[in-house]
Amino acid sequence: MTKVLVLYYSSYGHMEQMADAIAEGARGAGAEVDIRRVPETAPADVAKAAGFKPDISHPVIEGIDKLADYDAIIVGSPTRFGRMSSQMASFLDQAGGLWMRGALNGKVGAAFTSTATQHGGQEVTLFSIITNLLHFGLTIVGLDYGFAGQMGVKEVHGNSPYGASTIADGDGSRQPSQVDLDGARYQGRRVAEVATKLAA
Ligand SMILES: Cc1cc2nc3c(=O)[nH]c(=O)nc-3n(C[C@H](O)[C@H](O)[C@H](O)COP(=O)(O)O)c2cc1C
């Protein structure tokens, strides 16, 4: 069975919800899916002062070598100053040994994100993840236009050809909408389908 890892970081829970939707899509395509988050690196007093959600649901990934156990790795990080969070970058920067051994070559990869504002760095953040995954040797799956929900400007919504996304607003009050979550499900399904075909 195709094994998919959904790996994310979330301070306020938006990426947590998107990770669940991505996993739902991948499971719908018959994949076995694990959802893991990367360790928090912000000092506890900083996290508390910034109001980080204390009860993010999924387990922390056991270590960098776990990446080698999957056929596909879908990485989600909220925007931090227009690029992926340091928590995610810090975790991925531990992959030097895996990279040296070529242990991730040929796996399937994808990215998803969240920003406060519509133009606060969605595409650049997705590409900061995608760039990293390309160095790992992953074959990238985006969010193709078969997902028509990424079109239209009548309502605020996330999602782009580069990956599923949501918009949290400056105070974090906007939650992932139906369109945002549908895009995440679609991308999860596509990743699982591609990984299954490549393994055949
Ligand atoms: C230090 C910091 C930097 C941020 N930088 C940006 C930014 O450049 N652009 C933007 O739109 N949002 C920015 N945000 C807002 C986050 O992207 C937003 O809180 C996040 O997408 C919510 O996802 P989460 O609930 O999964 O943490 C920043 C937030 C923090 C704490």
Side-chain angles (χ1 to χ4, degrees):
M1 188 184 266
T2 301
K3 288 186 72 180
V4 174
L5 172 65
V6 181
L7 180 68
Y8 75 98
Y9 172 73
S10 184
S11 293
Y12 301 107
H14 297 78
M15 297 304 294
E16 179 187 29
Q17 293 177 58
M18 292 290 280
D20 277 327
I22 296 235
E24 200 184 315
R27 287 188 183 116
E32 182 186 324
V33 183
D34 290 333
I35 311 178
R36 297 285 184 270
R37 60 192 171 90
V38 297
E40 182 58 79
T41 57
D45 58 329
V46 172
K48 193 170 175 212
F52 286 9
K53 186 170 181 273
D55 57 346
I56 301 286
S57 48
H58 306 101
V60 172
I61 190 160
E62 295 85 343
I64 195 70
D65 286 342
K66 295 306 286 180
L67 297 187
D69 294 350
Y70 296 89
D71 302 299
I73 303 166
I74 310 176
V75 174
S77 170
T79 291
R80 290 288 181 269
F81 306 118
R83 36 82 180 156
M84 82 170 98
S85 63
S86 59
Q87 288 85 349
M88 180 57 73
S90 167
F91 181 75
L92 296 179
D93 280 2
Q94 297 170 44
L98 290 173
W99 172 82
M100 282 278 283
R101 297 197 299 279
L104 306 177
N105 288 345
K107 295 181 187 295
V108 174
F112 62 108
T113 193
S114 167
T115 58
T117 65
Q118 290 181 82
H119 307 290
Q122 294 236 325
E123 295 178 7
V124 180
T125 304
L126 288 168
F127 270 100
S128 72
I129 298 170
I130 290 169
T131 302
N132 204 141
L133 298 184
L134 284 168
H135 278 257
F136 285 174
L138 273 56
T139 299
I140 304 300
V141 171
L143 179 64
D144 61 76
Y145 281 104
F147 177 67
Q150 66 184 293
M151 303 290 277
V153 293
K154 287 201 176 110
E155 63 172 280
V156 171
H157 62 79
N159 296 318
S160 76
Y162 318 111
S165 62
T166 188
I167 295 159
D169 209 347
D171 60 0
S173 60
R174 183 183 181 277
Q175 298 304 309
S177 68
Q178 196 59 50
V179 176
D180 303 346
L181 294 169
D182 284 348
R185 286 187 200 98
Y186 186 101
Q187 190 180 20
R189 178 165 66 81
R190 266 284 183 265
V191 168
E193 287 171 353
V194 170
T196 302
K197 278 185 187 160
L198 286 183

